[in-house]
Amino acid sequence: MATAVDICNMSLSHLGVEFITALSDSTEPARQCNLLYEPARDQVLRDHPWGFAETSVELTVLPAVEPTGYTFAYTYPANCLHARNIYNSIVGAAPIDYKIVATAALDGKVIVTDFEDAVLIYTAAITDTTLFDASFITAFSWRLAADLAYPLTKKGTTAKSMQEAYSLY
């Protein structure tokens, strides 16, 4: 399976830029890869419903939070990058309406809905590259190349070309 350095080198190859041996290298490509790798990875995870990143959790009610306009407030999972759907715990139920809101009381996000026993289906922040599938790795390499293009080549047209390649996924 691909490592973070392998994925960075795939991106650099799209750009025709020198490869790196580690994210800690003292080269400009390594510094830029180190800076842009995680945000690009998380964006690609958010952009598509990758099967390897889908997970579910029975949400925990937050009794001390008064959800304005809703009956229940639930904990927002720390590793949640994108909430896909929420269902009532009844098997076969249709997705239910919900909102994700910020709350100053908890210094973070909560999920509010009018339904009890909610189950969240979401995209998790997967960082272990051994879990990435081949399609994700390829898409990620193009997205990272789009982000790296201007800092490394100073050409907006190259960044646009890389973004267009990513958009095919």
Side-chain angles (χ1 to χ4, degrees):
M1 278 296 174
T3 66
V5 170
D6 294 334
I7 295 166
C8 287
N9 283 331
M10 287 175 68
S11 298
L12 295 171
S13 74
H14 298 324
L15 297 170
V17 174
E18 68 182 90
F19 285 4
I20 63 172
T21 57
L23 291 173
S24 59
D25 287 353
S26 61
T27 65
E28 189 59 19
R31 282 191 288 277
Q32 291 299 323
C33 283
N34 191 42
L35 177 68
L36 299 170
Y37 178 90
E38 288 181 24
R41 178 202 60 219
D42 290 352
Q43 188 60 55
V44 176
L45 284 166
R46 276 187 214 86
D47 283 349
H48 305 283
W50 303 103
F52 74 90
E54 181 179 299
T55 192
S56 64
V57 65
E58 291 182 20
L59 295 172
T60 304
V61 174
L62 296 167
V65 176
E66 295 183 26
T68 306
Y70 292 89
T71 309
F72 298 97
Y74 294 98
T75 303
Y76 190 88
N79 70 337
C80 178
L81 289 177
H82 177 69
R84 296 183 186 184
N85 277 307
I86 294 184
Y87 296 89
N88 184 277
S89 63
I90 299 169
V91 176
I96 60 176
D97 291 328
Y98 68 95
K99 280 188 178 180
I100 298 169
V101 297
T103 174
L106 296 176
D107 194 29
K109 296 186 265 188
V110 298
I111 299 167
V112 294
T113 184
D114 287 328
F115 294 87
E116 191 172 18
D117 300 323
V119 176
L120 174 66
I121 308 297
Y122 68 97
T123 298
I126 304 295
T127 60
D128 181 351
T129 61
T130 64
L131 299 176
F132 296 170
D133 68 28
S135 294
F136 175 81
I137 290 169
T138 303
F140 179 18
S141 75
W142 285 108
R143 172 56 199 248
L144 183 56
D147 292 349
L148 292 168
Y150 192 78
L152 296 178
T153 70
K154 305 297 187 244
K155 296 178 185 172
T157 55
T158 303
K160 184 178 178 187
S161 296
M162 299 299 112
Q163 185 61 38
E164 287 172 357
Y166 170 65
S167 71
L168 298 174
Y169 288 89

